Amino acid sequence: MAKLKSAYFCQSCGYNSPKWLGRCPSCNEWNTIVEELIAKDEPEKGSWRFGKSSKTTSKPRLISEINKTEKYRIITEDAEFNRVLGGGLVPGSLTLVGGEPGIGKSTLMLQLALSLSDYTILYVSGEESEQQIKMRAERLAFSNNRCYVLTETATDVIFKQIELIEPDIVIIDSIQTLVSPLIESGAGSVSQVKECASEVMKYAKESDVPVIMIGHITKDGSLAGPKVLEHMVDTVLQFEGDQFMTYRILRTTKNRFGNASELGIYEMLSNGLRQVSNPSEILISEKNESISGVAIAAMIEGNRPLQIEIQSLVSTANYGTPQRSSNGFDPRRLQMLLAVLEKRGGFRLGTQDVFLNVAGGLKVEDPAIDLAVCVSIVSSYEDLPVSHSICFCAECGLGGEVRPVNRIESRISEAAKLGFEKIFIAKNNTKGLNFEDFNIKIVPVSKLEEVFSELFG
Ligand code: TYD
Ligand code: MG
């Protein structure tokens, strides 16, 4: 008979307390501490202990003595997914894919499973029935005879099946639905999620099978369950985008095997997710239109240079306090740039409503889009369009100065590749840059006024 014990856990951060508290001393959240029953068998048993025993004794070894076995990666059919992973699935790795409900996590994973026809895949679902999965699979344009579906939530049963099937890749939808028989509390609770994740991790590390887990996210957009979940896994991917728009972005937020700020872009179609290999095609609207308030920025996300359209609408505020609203761009940064334009450029924006939109539902943190933001605001304010063959790439300072940004060469080459004719960059960015190398006219500037007088006269 298992021994029963109870402990108090914060549902928000996983803090473990011996007694009940109104406020969590770790994350300062109120009313998040709940009692949970923990039943532990004898320490030797349990977790991924149902099958093989974990009796491998480990010894310390000199780092120079460790042979680096060149771990091959499993290159999936999905180039965007490979990119965010840093070049494919690493054997024995544990990947967590988070995202809002309905964004397409299950679709992405099922599509991945079906497209890897050379591997035996086990798709464990605690959320949908076999029928539902079959229906979804039929909508997707792939078929795979080596993809098993298991609708089960108990980890002991899952691991038994894993021993029978011996899959090459395991996908779990979702970690919050799993229950370990060792823990009494319900699925999705902090202790369950923690235990199930550590069992899965143990399995992945010992068998060298890559496991991908889907995770739910909370109202404020962070991954649900304890923070330890994110510490435990090797890679954390966020699937984001507007449910009502067709574009979806898969973003790396943690990666032990590659760059942690990669980006993959998909389009949700009626037959699944399509990879978007040239994102600028969707991030820039029709080139022939010339409306005011539009400027194109040369930005970089992860390792990927992107051209993105910034749209502004500046109109006289008729109702009291002017409104400032921005989509995909930090609102405080917008306030700052507006103040710079007002003070250094002499534009009377204090009485204007300003709406700013980054195309494609992308959230941009790259400061290199500052200049495009300023240009789009002034373009809308003056009602003078900016040619679509020009793009902008610089940060703006408080003094109205145009500042350099990193990796300018890749930004310029990408702009040239996409057929832009002119790019504005900071004068300080030109050091070591050979203008002849690029098939685009480079305009170095040091002050915002220079940009405006060049564009609007
Ligand atoms: P789903 O993968 O179930 O989301 P999650 O697992 O993140 O909750 O995605 C469901 C949405 O995707 C649903 O609104 C329907 C849509 N969808 C398509 O547009 N095309 C398709 O081919 C599929 C399978 C789903
Ligand atoms: Mg789902």
Side-chain angles (χ1 to χ4, degrees), residues 100-107 123 125 127-128 136 173-174 214 216:
E100 290 192 10
I103 203 77
K105 303 181 292 298
S106 306
T107 308
Y123 185 93
S125 179
E127 307 220 326
E128 283 158 287
R136 190 197 297 263
D173 186 5
S174 65
I214 292 178
H216 293 171

Side-chain angles (χ1 to χ4, degrees), residues 97-116:
V97 181
E100 290 192 10
I103 203 77
K105 303 181 292 298
S106 306
T107 308
L108 179 72
M109 286 302 119
L110 190 62
Q111 194 169 320
L112 182 81
L114 294 177
S115 67
L116 284 165

Side-chain angles (χ1 to χ4, degrees), residues 201 226-234 236 254 256:
M201 184 177 71
K227 215 45 187 171
V228 286
L229 190 60
E230 282 163 71
H231 290 297
M232 241 184 239
V233 301
D234 298 307
V236 180
K254 166 183 176 179
R256 289 191 180 141

